[in-house]
Amino acid sequence: MLKFSLIVAVCKNFGIGIKGDLPWHLKQELKHFSRTTKKINDSNKKNVVIMGRKTYFGVPESKRPLPDRINIVLTRNPVPSDYPESVILCSSLEQAMKRLEEDNDLKSVIENVWIVGGSEVYKEAMASPRCDRLYLTEVDATFECDAFFPEIPSDFKEIPLDDDMAKGVQEENGIQYVYKILKKQHESTNGNN
Ligand SMILES: NC(=O)c1ccc[n+]([C@@H]2O[C@H](COP(=O)([O-])OP(=O)(O)OC[C@H]3O[C@@H](n4cnc5c(N)ncnc54)[C@H](OP(=O)(O)O)[C@@H]3O)[C@@H](O)[C@H]2O)c1
């Protein structure tokens, strides 16, 4: 079964977005997002980013589709003319994952699959048996938000950061934040997966 991981930055009141944009300006944090979702071991492969329609259109026009990654947008009302040809439209998270598993051309070129928001997609993703890790940036401040991160299920446990991740408290523009990785513990493997 093809797995995925999530990546998100969340503030103290669990906010992730406001008016289609991020609530904060954290340049290094955005670089962390970009680096993490692009990271591959096999240079012939690419990672996939799966996102809801509003998250896709929240990315500045000049920066979407997210470069060097296969972009999948989830929408129940696909309007293909709104998207460049390279964007794959799917009507559910599971349909997207099945497409990646069953399309031989895609299957042969993908390395990791990242769920990059927003709220509903994150919620469904964290409940899925396909879920591996949650890369979480905890922003130590409160922002006005209209999109929120769902409650993290209790089967997510913190694990050590990857070697290339910045450890300890980070600070930009007077805003402090920390990186964390949480791993979903799957019953069938006693958590040793
Ligand atoms: N802080 C972070 O790390 C972070 C990450 C991502 C996003 N954000 C922010 O969060 C906000 C956007 O998130 P959001 O929760 O409002 O919206 P969203 O999830 O990005 O988009 C919602 C839309 O996506 C489609 N959709 C969502 N789940 C679906 C599913 N399971 N199957 C099919 N279609 C699905 C639907 O599109 P249709 O209406 O077309 O059917 C839905 O209206 C923005 O402000 C963005 O900047 C922040």
Side-chain angles (χ1 to χ4, degrees):
M1 180 169 59
L2 184 61
K3 297 219 162 194
F4 52 64
S5 289
L6 286 68
I7 185 163
V8 68
V10 181
C11 66
K12 276 170 94 170
N13 46 327
F14 274 79
I16 59 168
I18 177 94
K19 296 186 178 131
D21 202 352
L22 294 173
W24 44 75
H25 295 284
L26 300 172
K27 211 170 163 188
Q28 291 307 317
E29 209 285 323
L30 270 184
K31 280 192 181 162
H32 158 75
F33 169 84
S34 188
R35 200 171 43 241
T36 305
T37 56
K38 280 182 187 171
K39 195 163 59 183
I40 40 168
N41 289 319
D42 180 344
S43 59
N44 294 315
K45 297 199 171 184
K46 274 187 181 178
N47 290 337
V48 177
V49 282
I50 300 182
M51 69 203 91
R53 173 182 55 81
K54 293 182 187 170
T55 295
Y56 176 78
F57 285 106
V59 176
E61 204 169 348
S62 61
K63 295 195 175 132
R64 65 180 198 241
L66 295 174
D68 307 323
R69 288 149 285 184
I70 295 165
N71 284 231
I72 297 186
V73 174
L74 302 184
T75 170
R76 298 182 182 91
N77 302 296
V79 185
S81 57
D82 287 351
Y83 303 85
E85 226 175 278
S86 65
V87 171
I88 299 172
L89 299 180
C90 291
S91 59
S92 73
L93 178 56
E94 196 49 31
Q95 192 209 357
M97 295 306 291
K98 286 261 156 60
R99 170 108 188 245
L100 293 172
E101 283 177 332
E102 289 166 9
D103 183 322
N104 286 333
D105 291 340
L106 277 172
K107 202 162 95 179
S108 59
V109 295
I110 64 170
E111 192 162 300
N112 297 308
V113 181
W114 288 96
I115 307 296
V116 301
S119 307
E120 186 190 331
V121 191
Y122 282 138
K123 185 169 183 187
E124 189 181 342
M126 284 195 290
S128 166
R130 294 182 183 275
C131 185
D132 181 22
R133 293 164 174 215
L134 166 60
Y135 280 65
L136 178 67
T137 302
E138 283 184 351
V139 179
D140 190 19
T142 299
F143 290 86
E144 189 193 347
C145 292
D146 59 17
F148 294 87
F149 196 67
E151 194 177 330
I152 300 172
S154 58
D155 54 353
F156 282 77
K157 304 288 181 221
E158 193 170 349
I159 59 169
L161 296 182
D162 296 339
D163 289 343
D164 59 352
M165 285 171 72
K167 320 279 185 299
V169 177
Q170 311 298 306
E171 185 165 337
E172 284 185 81
N173 308 328
I175 300 165
Q176 296 191 328
Y177 57 94
V178 288
Y179 297 122
K180 289 188 176 175
I181 305 177
L182 279 65
K183 190 167 170 67
K184 186 175 168 89
Q185 313 290 306
H186 293 276
E187 268 173 34
S188 56
T189 51
N190 257 340
N192 296 325
N193 55 332

